[in-house]
Amino acid sequence: MINFKETLNKELNHITPAQSSSQIVSKSKQKKPRISYIPRFAAAAIVLILLVGICFTPSNLNNPSNNGFIITAGAKELSSDDFAVINSDEYNYIKFNFNYILNEKANSTDIAKKYLFYSFEKTLGLKIVGKDIDTITYKINNGSLSAYNYTPTDDGGSITQIKNTYSKLSTKFTINYDEQDNWTFAINSSHPNDDFYYRNTNYFVLADTGEVTTYKELKTEETPDPIAYGYKDDSTPLATLEEIKKLQAYISADNMTGFYNYQNSIFKRLIDEITIDVTVTKYDGSTETKKLQLCYTPIEVKSSDSANDNHSYTLSNGTISAKIIVE
């Protein structure tokens, strides 16, 4: 019989990005990537470049007033003075659009060359600190935000909760202040669609054949080891037609290093347009809000020879930073 719990975990890991890198490794049981990164501790040797512009704060913004709570990323408090990293160099997680062919001649298992990305996902290390706070509401602009909570139960089962903004009618969600440590947050660049989570079927690609399928279609008792995840979707791509043509040109020239770096510049354009409103509601009913501006810093790809066995873990990678702004 299919291990339902294991299957559910795999599906959830790729339906929503809201999980830490350690959760991804433990739940997805990924093969160890065939990629050698310079250790984070050797910070001086890591090359971070901005492929398209840099992180700017709009010139008409004023310093925010102290409204009674702070937002932290790790041990650092976010401020209006500068951008602070809220996600380091862990992998960007790609979903592909299996209805959009980039290159008809590409091998069926060479997913990055064959299919256009649908979205990319990145976890956020945010925490709210304050007094007398009852709930926290997150509202996103120009993207999707998810929160994931997987809690084991005493009887060996589990309780899974997912909150997301995959709808133009629902751009925000609320959690309890004293439960925020149980939630993992993530940003997703995809366009919100009504009832996205419930309507879109999640597909994956089989390693041996490149077949795009689902657990239901596969009808097997064995758990496959997919090499990519995504959707079959006819919505407008996140990449513009001009950007898609440039991606195709890199593929035709067999320049995948250029491909991944250019794809990263698209990711920067998408993330730099995103702001998140964080509103706390206190026990007395009063509310206070701070707005975060996101900024994506691409990491230069110098070789495409070390691609991951799972193509959803793309070489197009970077950091996300945030800064408090006032409109």
Side-chain angles (χ1 to χ4, degrees), residues 4-273:
F4 178 74
K5 182 178 179 181
E6 180 180 357
T7 301
L8 176 61
N9 287 343
K10 284 193 173 186
E11 283 291 308
L12 288 174
N13 283 343
H14 306 294
I15 291 172
T16 172
Q19 54 198 301
S20 66
S21 56
S22 61
Q23 287 175 308
I24 292 174
V25 172
S26 63
K27 295 180 184 178
S28 299
K29 297 183 174 61
Q30 289 291 125
K31 293 181 180 178
K32 185 176 181 180
R34 297 179 303 173
I35 185 165
S36 299
Y37 281 120
I38 300 174
R40 295 183 186 181
F41 303 103
I46 297 179
V47 180
L48 292 179
I49 67 168
L50 297 180
L51 300 180
V52 181
I54 59 177
C55 300
F56 286 110
T57 301
S59 59
N60 63 338
L61 299 180
N62 301 313
N63 290 330
S65 60
N66 183 0
N67 57 7
F69 73 97
I70 64 173
I71 306 173
T72 65
K76 185 175 179 61
E77 177 183 344
L78 301 190
S79 72
S80 62
D81 296 330
D82 52 30
F83 282 92
V85 175
I86 59 176
N87 183 286
S88 59
D89 58 351
E90 76 172 19
Y91 287 107
N92 287 340
Y93 194 82
I94 295 290
K95 298 283 187 65
F96 292 93
N97 189 345
F98 299 124
N99 278 355
Y100 202 113
I101 305 295
L102 274 180
N103 191 309
E104 292 279 0
K105 298 180 181 180
N107 187 290
S108 60
T109 58
D110 199 343
I111 309 304
K113 288 184 178 180
K114 187 168 184 178
Y115 301 105
L116 179 66
F117 75 93
Y118 177 86
S119 65
F120 83 96
E121 304 158 353
K122 194 89 161 176
T123 55
L124 305 180
L126 295 175
K127 184 176 180 179
I128 310 306
V129 179
K131 295 182 179 180
D132 302 321
I133 299 176
D134 185 16
T135 62
I136 310 167
T137 299
Y138 297 86
K139 181 180 184 299
I140 192 169
N141 305 294
N142 297 323
S144 296
L145 188 67
S146 297
Y148 176 80
N149 182 353
Y150 179 88
T151 306
T153 58
D154 294 337
D155 60 1
S158 62
I159 298 175
T160 300
Q161 299 181 66
I162 298 175
K163 294 178 180 289
N164 59 56
T165 62
Y166 284 124
S167 172
K168 295 177 182 178
L169 302 178
S170 178
T171 59
K172 60 185 178 181
F173 57 75
T174 299
I175 64 170
N176 293 330
Y177 173 78
D178 59 1
E179 295 179 353
Q180 62 177 313
D181 287 344
N182 299 331
W183 293 91
T184 303
F185 299 92
I187 195 76
N188 190 324
S189 58
S190 64
H191 292 303
N193 296 321
D194 292 343
D195 300 324
F196 175 92
Y197 174 71
Y198 299 100
R199 290 171 52 189
N200 280 37
T201 301
N202 298 274
Y203 289 84
F204 55 83
V205 182
L206 299 180
D208 295 334
T209 63
E211 178 187 358
V212 178
T213 186
T214 65
Y215 285 101
K216 183 177 181 180
E217 293 174 352
L218 203 55
K219 296 180 180 179
T220 178
E221 295 183 356
E222 298 180 1
T223 302
D225 191 12
I227 58 172
Y229 289 80
Y231 308 103
K232 291 185 177 181
D233 193 283
D234 295 323
S235 60
T236 303
L238 291 172
T240 65
L241 290 178
E242 181 180 357
E243 290 169 340
I244 292 171
K245 288 179 180 179
K246 289 184 178 180
L247 289 174
Q248 291 171 327
Y250 281 114
I251 295 172
S252 297
D254 198 26
N255 180 3
M256 291 307 292
T257 300
F259 172 92
Y260 287 116
N261 280 321
Y262 185 73
Q263 182 175 249
N264 232 352
S265 72
I266 301 174
F267 294 170
K268 177 171 179 60
R269 174 182 64 79
L270 295 168
I271 292 297
D272 286 0
E273 296 175 352

Side-chain angles (χ1 to χ4, degrees), residues 56 83 272-275 291-295 321-323 325:
F56 286 110
F83 282 92
D272 286 0
E273 296 175 352
I274 294 175
T275 60
K291 181 183 289 290
L292 297 180
Q293 174 70 58
L294 300 191
C295 175
S321 302
K323 184 175 184 175
I325 62 174

